[in-house]
């Protein structure tokens, strides 16, 4: 059944710990069933501001595909599989937790080039399940700033066969893809037509043809519909999940 649901920024859960300001599109803190609140395969869409010198200390994940997208500042990733890297604006990054991985993410005051800073990091983190449990943990990253600056919608991360040759990084789920666009005023993209679509506006403002105007922090959840034209009313960034399946609850851990 076709449905269109708008979630405004003020409707998201808002947590402020001093060092972290976090806004959740789906329930995140506490004990609950992720699957009960998901849209399609999307379990988590957290928009965080992390102050310099702070971050998420070492913690564990299982059977989760985690995509991290930085809008400003930088975040240092380290994990128990030996991967380390500084995630910056325009860098596609995915960690597959698989059979189990420990990792930390911190806004270190010393950058990779040795310089120091006091800048907060603005980051969106998104989770989906893999389509197969018990895979080997893995990590992938790729800078896509050049492609984003060229305009249009690019496929940031995907496990779909249709995107095998033009996705920046991969997902271990053949039913899901994450697209991103960095739009100037008047530039237009088209939402994919899929059983589930989730469009999130972390920065700026866009008009969705025939539906609504979305501003910073707003999102749109579509079911059994798509193909809408999205036009930037002001400079904007858009994160779009295209999903061709719902959840298999036994994979949500």
């Amino acid at each position: 059944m076709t449905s269109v649901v708008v979630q405004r920024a003020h409707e998201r859960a808002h947590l402020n710990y001093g060092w972290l300001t976090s806004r959740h599109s789906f329930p995140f803190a506490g004990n609950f069933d992720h699957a009960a609140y998901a849209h399609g395969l999307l379990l988590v869409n957290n928009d965080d501001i992390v102050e310099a010198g702070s971050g998420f200390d070492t913690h564990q994940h299982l059977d989760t595909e985690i995509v991290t997208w930085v809008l400003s500042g930088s975040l240092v990733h380290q994990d128990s599989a030996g991967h380390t890297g500084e995630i910056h604006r325009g860098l596609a990054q995915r960690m597959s937790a698989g059979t189990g991985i420990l990792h930390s993410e911190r806004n270190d005051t010393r950058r990779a080039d040795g310089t120091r800073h006091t800048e907060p990091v603005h980051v969106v983190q998104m989770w989906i399940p893999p389509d197969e449990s018990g895979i080997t943990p893995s990590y992938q990253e790729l800078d896509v700033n050049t492609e984003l600056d060229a305009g249009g919608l690019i496929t940031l991360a995907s496990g779909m066969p249709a995107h095998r040759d033009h996705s920046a990084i991969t997902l271990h789920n053949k039913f899901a893809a994450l697209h991103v666009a960095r739009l100037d005023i008047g530039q237009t993209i088209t939402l994919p037509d899929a059983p589930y679509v989730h469009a999130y506006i972390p920065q700026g403002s866009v008009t969705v043809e025939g539906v609504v105007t979305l501003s910073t922090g707003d999102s749109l959840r579509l079911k059994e519909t798509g193909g809408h034209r999205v036009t930037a009313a002001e400079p904007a960034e858009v994160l779009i999940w295209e999903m061709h399946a719902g959840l298999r609850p036994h994979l949500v851990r």
Side-chain angles (χ1 to χ4, degrees):
M1 181 178 178
T2 298
S3 67
V4 177
V5 177
V6 176
Q7 184 186 48
R8 296 298 184 184
H10 70 270
E11 296 172 331
R12 292 181 297 152
H14 179 202
L15 301 177
N16 190 335
Y17 297 106
W19 64 272
L20 168 69
T21 301
S22 187
R23 292 175 169 84
H24 305 157
S25 298
F26 304 93
F28 184 74
N31 295 317
F32 58 89
D33 180 4
H34 278 293
Y37 296 94
H39 178 66
L41 294 164
L42 187 59
L43 302 167
V44 168
N45 188 91
N46 289 355
D47 191 317
D48 297 335
I49 304 291
V50 182
E51 297 299 323
S54 302
F56 304 95
D57 292 328
T58 301
H59 56 285
Q60 185 179 43
H61 293 284
L62 295 167
D63 283 332
T64 310
E65 299 288 288
I66 300 173
V67 179
T68 302
W69 184 247
V70 168
L71 295 143
S72 64
S74 61
L75 196 67
V76 174
H77 167 98
Q78 292 182 312
D79 65 46
S80 55
H83 306 114
T84 184
E86 187 175 283
I87 313 167
H88 54 76
R89 176 170 167 80
L91 182 79
Q93 188 252 30
R94 181 266 301 155
M95 184 183 75
S96 296
T99 53
I101 197 167
L102 298 169
H103 83 135
S104 64
E105 296 167 302
R106 295 190 58 81
N107 181 7
D108 286 351
T109 55
R110 184 182 293 277
R111 292 192 173 95
D113 63 5
T115 60
R116 290 189 175 273
H117 75 99
T118 58
E119 179 186 5
V121 60
H122 183 189
V123 57
V124 179
Q125 190 167 94
M126 298 153 281
W127 299 5
I128 67 167
D131 56 16
E132 180 182 359
S133 61
I135 63 175
T136 301
S138 63
Y139 177 92
Q140 193 176 13
E141 64 177 42
L142 184 70
D143 191 299
V144 294
N145 277 296
T146 299
E147 291 78 5
L148 278 173
D149 290 341
L153 193 65
I154 72 166
T155 303
L156 188 72
S158 179
M160 293 172 55
H163 301 142
R164 183 173 290 115
D165 296 328
H166 58 271
S167 174
I169 57 177
T170 58
L171 293 171
H172 293 97
N173 194 311
K174 59 181 174 291
F175 302 107
L178 172 62
H179 311 283
V180 63
R182 189 180 289 167
L183 303 175
D184 288 328
I185 295 174
Q187 287 188 320
T188 296
I189 57 172
T190 301
L191 293 178
D193 193 353
Y196 300 94
V197 174
H198 184 274
Y200 178 63
I201 315 301
Q203 291 180 331
S205 177
V206 302
T207 299
V208 183
E209 180 184 32
V211 182
V212 71
T213 295
L214 301 173
S215 299
T216 299
D218 293 345
S219 61
L220 183 66
R221 303 180 189 185
L222 303 178
K223 187 175 180 181
E224 301 295 346
T225 187
H228 304 80
R229 290 168 59 85
V230 176
T231 304
E234 61 183 66
E237 199 147 307
V238 187
L239 291 165
I240 300 167
W241 280 95
E242 172 187 356
M243 297 166 285
H244 292 266
L247 286 172
R248 296 164 60 189
H250 68 283
L251 290 178
V252 181
R253 301 171 65 183

